[in-house]
Amino acid sequence: MDRGEKIQLKRVFGYWWGTSFLLINIIGAGIFVSPKGVLAYSCMNVGVSLCVWAGCAILAMTSTLCSAEISISFPCSGAQYYFLKRYFGSTVAFLNLWTSLFLGSGVVAGQALLLAEYSIQPFFPSCSVPKLPKKCLALAMLWIVGILTSRGVKEVTWLQIASSVLKVSILSFISLTGVVFLIRGKKENVERFQNAFDAELPDMSHLIQAIFQGYFAYSGGACFTLIAGELKKPRTTIPKCIFTALPLVTVVYLLVNISYLTVLTPREILSSDAVAITWADRALPSLAWIMPFAISTSLFSNLLISIFKSSRPIYLASQEGQLPLLFNTLNSHSSPFTAVLLLVTLGSLAIILTSLIDLINYIFFTRSLWSILLMIGILRRRYWEPNLSIPYKVFLPFPLATIVIDMGLVVIPLVKSPNVHYVYVLLLVLSGLLFYIPLIHFKIRLAWFEKMTCYLQLLFNICLPDVSEE
């Protein structure tokens, strides 16, 4: 291995990359596929649904700014791990890592399967996509993205920026097309906005459900806690990225929903499985093929970034002695190769064993549990260390509001559809103790694994990172 350049994770990403990174994390395939959840729980009241989208943007801003305090206070990759370790102990920090290991691999598996489905769908216009070619393509795409991620940050950077520009361009095209239809002033296009609040008003329970649907579409703002260690000047870069990306996403989401409602009736939106494709068939039939391509592009960029960011906590935990030393290694491109390999391997198993994909739906609510714990940690820091000098302190009501939202995301699924799978999820989280107690608490060493680490270092041409100058 060439030792002319230091092998370590470097602070190479600036404002533009950070903004693009945040945009990709927030804008997923949902805005193309199923924005109907807010409209359904708003009782098809157009005015209320648009107000919900705007309100959810404010709520998303509060939770993102809370995560920004953690990222700025601990400007390293995997900041939330350090935060939980400091305020709740190493056991809780390890369980968070254990959960994110399975959740991260499940997420990349789901994204790869969706990417494969929308890539193949144009070749099967009159039937569903067969499982075998879909799984084979999903595995191929997952490993291709894993290899690209292992090649270092340069490949990730240009692919991410190109895909984010393309994604925003397609959404802008949908938005501008809707504006043109409105300007033309045809009765069928404007009548839904002339009396936007005339439809039945939703009751409080439905309104809360609509808020949760919209809030989920804005999720992803906490991503800087995973890659803060690779940002230049994180104390100033993170707030600038947030205040650029979130207002942009809010405007785009509102305009896209207005465009959908301009071309389609509320009932047509609710009956569609992929609203963007239905919109294209109605508005621009000759360009309808663009929508599956747009969804595939969106999912490819999300898959790329998911593998990139999810590998960082694995690398960090190995540095802290909570995972084997093997995962604290970098290749010649300063990429945590073994962490990426572990993530891609677990994701491949999840693709092959589709029953695991079903379990992912129930694991998602654990993100809200960990978010609640992080917000409690912020409040505890205010109480325990009131005079602590930190670069950025979030406005105190923001973590309280985030706790309320996340509590709803945890409680409502349990009340609406109680299921034994939630018990399995809890057991999965606690199963991390089977590894933590003997291997970390009692520091039992496995001689055979240490020998295997040496062989794998030679096989993959990886080494321990150089000491950082920070």
Side-chain angles (χ1 to χ4, degrees):
M1 182 178 291
D2 180 17
R3 301 295 292 181
E5 185 179 354
K6 284 192 174 183
I7 304 298
Q8 58 186 214
L9 294 183
K10 304 177 183 69
R11 295 191 181 275
V12 295
F13 301 130
Y15 165 73
W16 291 108
W17 186 92
T19 303
S20 171
F21 180 79
L22 186 54
L23 284 172
I24 287 180
N25 270 276
I26 295 176
I27 303 176
I31 191 65
F32 296 107
V33 181
S34 56
K36 60 186 181 181
V38 174
L39 188 62
Y41 285 109
S42 299
C43 299
M44 293 191 292
N45 189 305
V46 172
V48 171
S49 68
L50 293 177
C51 289
V52 167
W53 280 104
C56 288
I58 298 173
L59 294 175
M61 179 66 82
T62 63
S63 62
T64 302
L65 290 175
C66 292
S67 299
E69 177 179 327
I70 297 173
S71 304
I72 294 172
S73 301
F74 298 86
C76 56
S77 298
Q80 68 179 24
Y81 168 86
Y82 274 122
F83 187 83
L84 289 171
K85 187 176 181 180
R86 174 165 179 171
Y87 292 102
F88 296 98
S90 60
T91 304
V92 173
F94 178 83
L95 291 179
N96 174 259
L97 171 73
W98 178 258
T99 305
S100 63
L101 183 63
F102 290 98
L103 185 59
S105 58
V107 168
V108 299
Q111 289 173 340
L113 283 169
L114 280 173
L115 172 59
E117 182 170 350
Y118 282 100
S119 299
I120 299 176
Q121 186 64 60
F123 301 99
F124 298 90
S126 58
C127 61
S128 59
V129 177
K131 288 185 177 181
L132 182 60
K134 181 173 73 172
K135 287 190 176 184
C136 291
L137 182 59
L139 287 169
M141 295 303 297
L142 180 60
W143 282 93
I144 288 172
V145 172
I147 292 170
L148 288 173
T149 306
S150 298
R151 294 289 299 172
V153 298
K154 289 183 179 179
E155 281 73 10
V156 173
T157 299
W158 73 263
L159 279 171
Q160 176 201 313
I161 293 177
S163 58
S164 62
V165 168
L166 183 59
K167 182 189 296 189
V168 173
S169 299
I170 293 172
L171 289 175
S172 300
F173 172 74
I174 295 175
S175 304
L176 292 174
T177 304
V179 171
V180 170
F181 274 92
L182 281 176
I183 292 175
R184 287 179 179 178
K186 290 185 179 180
K187 182 180 179 181
E188 61 269 21
N189 297 135
V190 301
E191 61 183 359
R192 286 182 284 278
F193 299 99
Q194 290 175 340
N195 302 298
F197 292 92
D198 283 358
E200 178 188 357
L201 293 174
D203 58 30
M204 186 55 66
S205 62
H206 282 86
L207 184 61
I208 291 173
Q209 287 276 21
I211 291 172
F212 289 142
Q213 291 283 330
Y215 183 74
F216 182 76
Y218 286 98
S219 62
C223 57
F224 284 130
T225 59
L226 301 174
I227 55 96
E230 293 169 78
L231 288 175
K232 298 176 182 177
K233 300 178 181 178
R235 293 182 179 182
T236 56
T237 301
I238 291 175
K240 285 166 62 178
C241 293
I242 291 172
F243 285 109
T244 301
L246 273 173
L248 178 60
V249 170
T250 303
V251 172
V252 169
Y253 274 14
L254 286 172
L255 289 176
V256 167
N257 277 279
I258 289 172
S259 181
Y260 289 155
L261 289 164
T262 301
V263 176
L264 304 172
T265 66
R267 291 192 181 278
E268 286 174 331
I269 292 176
L270 295 187
S271 62
S272 173
D273 292 327
V275 178
I277 296 176
T278 306
W279 175 92
D281 287 335
R282 179 70 59 83
L284 301 163
S286 60
L287 297 177
W289 59 272
I290 290 179
M291 286 307 131
F293 173 69
I295 296 170
S296 298
T297 303
S298 174
L299 286 169
F300 181 84
S301 59
N302 286 109
L303 177 61
L304 179 73
I305 292 304
S306 292
I307 294 177
F308 178 81
K309 69 180 183 180
S310 298
S311 63
R312 268 50 187 174
I314 299 172
Y315 169 80
L316 170 82
S318 181
Q319 277 188 332
E320 293 295 308
Q322 293 207 340
L323 280 179
L325 187 65
L326 177 64
F327 299 109
N328 183 30
T329 54
L330 301 175
N331 61 13
S332 58
H333 303 285
S334 294
S335 174
F337 174 81
T338 49
V340 173
L341 181 63
L342 175 64
L343 194 66
V344 172
T345 302
L346 291 175
S348 300
L349 291 175
I351 290 174
I352 296 169
L353 305 172
T354 53
S355 59
L356 291 179
I357 300 298
D358 297 332
L359 186 60
I360 292 168
N361 295 325
Y362 298 97
I363 295 178
F364 264 111
F365 93 105
T366 61
R367 279 187 171 176
S368 298
L369 287 174
W370 288 114
S371 177
I372 291 170
L373 204 60
L374 288 169
M375 297 306 108
I376 293 174
I378 292 176
L379 297 176
R380 289 180 71 177
R381 178 158 73 173
R382 292 286 198 279
Y383 179 74
W384 283 359
E385 304 168 315
N387 299 320
L388 180 67
S389 177
I390 55 177
Y392 166 75
K393 285 186 179 181
V394 72
F395 186 43
L396 194 57
F398 286 4
L400 295 174
T402 304
I403 288 174
V404 171
I405 292 292
D406 287 325
M407 284 293 292
L409 292 173
V410 170
V411 172
I412 285 180
L414 293 175
V415 173
K416 285 194 65 178
S417 55
N419 197 304
V420 70
H421 284 92
Y422 291 111
V423 179
Y424 298 156
V425 170
L426 181 61
L427 292 176
L428 176 64
V429 174
L430 296 178
S431 65
L433 295 174
L434 298 176
F435 294 84
Y436 178 83
I437 293 173
L439 299 178
I440 298 173
H441 183 72
F442 290 108
K443 295 181 169 53
I444 296 177
R445 291 290 176 260
L446 303 176
W448 62 269
F449 192 85
E450 292 177 357
K451 290 182 180 179
M452 186 179 71
T453 298
C454 296
Y455 290 129
L456 291 176
Q457 279 188 266
L458 295 172
L459 176 64
F460 294 129
N461 193 27
I462 54 181
C463 68
L464 294 174
D466 294 315
V467 177
S468 174
E469 295 177 356
E470 294 187 10

